[in-house]
Amino acid sequence: KGHATALWKHLMQQAGWRNVKQVFLEARESNQTALAWYKKLGFVLIRKREKYYANPEEDALIMKCSVSSPKV
């Protein structure tokens, strides 16, 4: 329904008003649905944290997005 994307747009607008330049997040490497959505929003991979998660053990992907140029 687009609720998450609408919320994202609002958050990025608020961040811009507060002079935030970048937003960072991390996600499980196996969470391909979330990673695809983050890429659509303009996030890029900057780092991998090996064995960050437990149960099951898994790497975390660290991503960032520029507030000045969101893609939504």
Side-chain angles (χ1 to χ4, degrees):
K1 295 183 182 183
H3 296 296
T5 300
L7 177 60
W8 173 252
K9 288 180 183 181
H10 178 75
L11 290 172
M12 290 298 276
Q13 182 181 48
Q14 294 294 316
W17 288 342
R18 289 166 174 77
N19 294 318
V20 173
K21 302 298 181 207
Q22 296 177 325
V23 175
F24 296 85
L25 60 79
E26 56 88 6
R28 284 184 177 267
E29 190 169 28
S30 65
N31 194 345
Q32 293 300 307
T33 302
L35 293 170
W37 187 65
Y38 298 146
K39 284 183 180 182
K40 180 181 173 185
L41 296 176
F43 280 88
V44 294
L45 177 65
I46 59 167
R47 185 174 168 218
K48 180 188 283 193
R49 287 187 181 151
E50 293 186 15
K51 301 178 183 178
Y52 182 74
Y53 292 105
N55 298 323
E57 187 174 276
E58 190 171 356
D59 297 342
L61 301 182
I62 312 302
M63 303 178 83
K64 74 175 181 175
C65 181
S66 171
V67 173
S68 61
S69 59
K71 292 191 175 184
V72 263

